[in-house]
Amino acid sequence: MHVRCLIDEAANIGQIPNLEKLMATIRSREISAALVLQAKSQLKAIYKDNADTIIGNCDSQIFLGGSEQTTLKDLNTTLGKETIDMYNTGETRGTSQSYNMNYQKLGHDLMSIDELAVMDGGKCIVQIRGVRPFLSSKYDLTQHPKYPLTADADKRNWFDIEKFLNHNLILKADDEYEVVEVE
């Protein structure tokens, strides 16, 4: 059975021992890990030189937006450039007229760092191994068929962990039970 570990706020839970080795080997054991970070610099602060190894073993990355410069620079580099054609024409008038035309191929960032920093909040950039990164719309969670079962939709669905952990067993006179002594 596949096990998926969703590690939200990965930068705030402390260092997971040998995470770089785990990320490289868990796939073969039907385990996947989804690290949720605000910025790549958080991962680099905790795992130092191993941060790039951890990122390299992730098959997909989703950029939801942000303004942290390291993340923006890395993403800008990953997105790459597009080729644009530029034509210039010139005309000289006088005793002898002349015309010239200049043709150039230029590279232009697909998204510059400042464009990434102010990206539309309803969009995200998805990177999947073997596929060029692409711009996508964020999924509207309220459209999911199971959304009415969430606490966001109805507060009665809220799971109260305190109540669950602090239950008191109250036995009634007609309840049957077995006493097991544990040493």
Side-chain angles (χ1 to χ4, degrees), residues 38-96:
Q38 300 299 318
K40 285 185 178 180
S41 61
Q42 291 177 314
L43 195 66
K44 290 178 182 182
I46 297 169
Y47 294 98
K48 311 281 186 261
D49 295 336
N50 293 324
D52 289 332
T53 304
I54 294 166
I55 292 168
N57 280 300
C58 294
D59 280 345
S60 58
Q61 296 179 48
I62 302 173
F63 175 71
L64 300 174
S67 59
E68 194 273 322
Q69 289 298 306
T70 303
T71 304
L72 296 177
K73 286 177 187 172
D74 287 353
L75 188 55
N76 169 264
T77 303
T78 302
L79 289 174
K81 297 182 181 292
E82 67 178 333
T83 303
I84 56 174
D85 295 328
M86 186 170 135
Y87 294 95
N88 289 319
T89 57
E91 178 182 351
T92 306
R93 294 185 185 190
T95 55
S96 60

